[in-house]
Amino acid sequence: HRIRRQRDFDRAYREGSRAKARFLLVVAVENGLGHSRLGLSVGRRIWRGAVQRNRVRRLFREAFRLNFGALPEGVDLVLIPAAPQIRPTLDEVSAELLMLSHKAHGRFLEKRRAGEAALAAESALGAESALGAESAQDPLPGAQAGTNPEVT
């Protein structure tokens, strides 16, 4: 359950919501699958040595594996070290992963709901203005200009 394609990472960075704590930055975006996936972004800028980078990657993967059942379902999670040269323990990473994954996923859902509400309001305004334009052009269907159909 890993994110491997660059377009999946790009989508997560573009559309995802973030949550940060002492050791981790988590980017969460729904993936449309029935399970969560893990993506890792551990750059050379943070750790020069491959040994240290790989240790952090192993730690992040193990925390994901151990907490897989408790993580939000159907979400791509990209894990990024929050600070350079950190030395977290597995327990610390696991605790932060659980907390931040739910927090980032909640933010993603809020952002999506706000976007849907804005679209609904926009479409309602569009329909309302279209009705307003129709009624302004033809105030009463069947009436002749200059006559008052209510007065007989």
Side-chain angles (χ1 to χ4, degrees):
H1 300 153
R2 300 274 306 276
I3 301 172
R4 296 188 188 274
R5 288 183 282 190
Q6 186 62 44
R7 70 178 182 207
D8 292 334
F9 278 97
D10 292 342
R11 184 175 155 271
Y13 292 133
R14 187 179 59 249
E15 299 173 15
S17 294
R18 291 159 174 75
K20 183 178 178 181
R22 184 171 170 217
F23 300 113
L24 278 175
L25 169 68
V26 175
V27 182
V29 64
E30 288 189 343
N31 60 22
L33 304 172
H35 60 275
S36 293
R37 296 189 302 175
L38 172 69
L40 300 172
S41 179
V42 182
R44 264 180 246 134
R45 237 183 264 167
I46 307 267
W47 284 278
R48 293 273 181 220
V51 173
Q52 289 85 10
R53 282 195 311 275
N54 290 333
R55 178 186 177 276
V56 169
R57 286 187 189 113
R58 281 193 307 271
L59 211 65
F60 287 0
R61 276 195 301 269
E62 183 66 5
F64 181 82
R65 185 187 71 80
L66 292 173
N67 295 295
F68 185 75
L71 295 172
E73 290 184 13
V75 177
D76 283 347
L77 299 170
V78 178
L79 306 184
I80 305 166
Q85 301 296 325
I86 58 170
R87 296 238 180 242
T89 66
L90 180 59
D91 292 337
E92 291 169 330
V93 171
S94 291
E96 281 194 5
L97 174 60
L98 277 175
M99 177 193 65
L100 295 176
S101 62
H102 288 285
K103 188 175 184 179
H105 184 239
R107 287 179 178 171
F108 175 81
L109 294 176
E110 286 175 25
K111 188 165 65 170
R112 187 173 70 186
R113 269 183 247 142
E116 289 171 356
L119 282 176
E122 186 176 298
S123 65
L125 281 175
E128 190 176 291
S129 66
L131 288 175
E134 282 179 16
S135 62
Q137 291 174 356
D138 188 14
L140 292 172
Q144 293 178 350
T147 62
N148 189 348
E150 292 180 16
V151 179
T152 53

